[in-house]
Amino acid sequence: MNLDKNKIKAVFFDFDDTLGDRDRYAYDCARSILLENVQPVDPVEFEAIVQDWMLWDEKGNIDKNHIKDMLAKKYGIMLPYEDLNPVWDDRLWKFCVPFPDAEETLEYLCGKYKLGIITNGPSEGQRNKIAHAGLAHFFDQENIFVSGDFQFKKPDKRLFLIACEKMGVKPEESIFVGDIFSNDVLGAYRAGMIPVWIWTPGARKVTADILVIHRISELMKLL
């Protein structure tokens, strides 16, 4: 796909696994919850439990009570929470860290484009993540759009269209960068924005005619 950089006025980002290194902070959060409830007698055995948690988490796209059920089923671990979701949401942001090149990339872009975030999740939790990662100063608060503030979430195109309208740009003048194809790329595409898929491992094949990067800093070359 050819990109006409002269037409671009705004760059929107997903947060988790796009600007924030979610694999890292989700791992640390899961481990902290398990350490409070499981005696790690053997470090390899304990690590297996943490790694299974990460697999069951599906990059954050699963009800956390599924993880609770799987821990009980496979390991006999009974977490003492009626609902694991608020426990997770209240804690995850405290471990949040950005990708090493996120700040440099935003610094480069902020003088050239309007910047916004469109992210799924609870409003307070997502905003806390952005602040804890040290990236909040790149975004006006009114340019952070969290699905928890609406009745719908990505890939619903309404969230993307509202973001464009609020920031005073047309969808076709906007780039959206995200890591989950069915949420981020598809949602932005349906809204008429220019999607950029950030696939961090860099190995998966994609045949659709879209822009693909493997690190957030590659945006500096793209733009």
Side-chain angles (χ1 to χ4, degrees), residues 183-197:
N183 283 350
D184 299 318
V185 173
L186 187 60
Y189 173 79
R190 287 173 172 171
M193 301 171 76
I194 300 168
V196 176
W197 189 31

Side-chain angles (χ1 to χ4, degrees), residues 51-215:
Q51 292 297 333
D52 264 349
W53 180 311
M54 295 296 290
L55 290 174
W56 298 327
D57 182 57
E58 296 183 13
K59 294 174 71 67
N61 288 277
I62 197 73
D63 188 301
K64 297 303 175 288
N65 290 315
H66 170 69
I67 297 172
K68 187 178 74 167
D69 293 342
M70 291 300 294
L71 287 170
K73 181 179 180 180
K74 184 168 182 178
Y75 295 105
I77 296 171
M78 310 299 293
L79 294 180
Y81 313 114
E82 182 177 350
D83 186 352
L84 183 56
N85 289 287
V87 176
W88 180 261
D89 291 338
D90 289 344
R91 187 177 305 211
L92 181 61
W93 66 268
K94 298 174 184 177
F95 296 91
C96 188
V97 292
F99 282 112
D101 52 349
E103 186 169 3
E104 176 191 9
T105 302
L106 293 174
E107 190 71 51
Y108 173 82
L109 296 174
C110 69
K112 299 175 174 62
Y113 306 97
K114 296 180 179 181
L115 300 183
I117 289 178
I118 306 173
T119 178
N120 283 349
S123 181
E124 184 177 3
Q126 292 302 95
R127 294 176 189 278
N128 282 342
K129 285 180 190 175
I130 297 165
H132 196 266
L135 303 179
H137 63 286
F138 290 109
F139 304 93
D140 293 336
Q141 283 300 304
E142 60 268 26
N143 294 343
I144 298 175
F145 304 90
V146 186
S147 67
D149 293 326
F150 300 88
Q151 299 300 313
F152 39 82
K153 62 181 181 179
K154 297 182 297 184
D156 194 313
K157 69 179 183 180
R158 287 177 291 177
L159 193 56
F160 298 87
L161 292 174
I162 287 171
C164 289
E165 181 181 2
K166 294 287 187 182
M167 286 181 55
V169 294
K170 298 177 181 177
E172 60 270 24
E173 298 171 335
S174 308
I175 281 178
F176 182 79
V177 187
D179 69 297
I180 297 180
F181 202 101
S182 59
N183 283 350
D184 299 318
V185 173
L186 187 60
Y189 173 79
R190 287 173 172 171
M193 301 171 76
I194 300 168
V196 176
W197 189 31
I198 180 168
W199 176 241
T200 46
R204 185 177 296 175
K205 182 179 180 181
V206 57
T207 56
D209 185 22
I210 61 163
L211 298 168
V212 181
I213 60 176
H214 305 306
R215 294 177 58 86

Side-chain angles (χ1 to χ4, degrees), residues 13 20 22 32 37 44 60 114 124 148 161 170 203-204 207 216 220:
F13 300 88
R22 188 185 183 279
S32 77
N37 296 282
V44 177
K114 296 180 179 181
E124 184 177 3
L161 292 174
K170 298 177 181 177
R204 185 177 296 175
T207 56
I216 197 67
M220 292 188 285

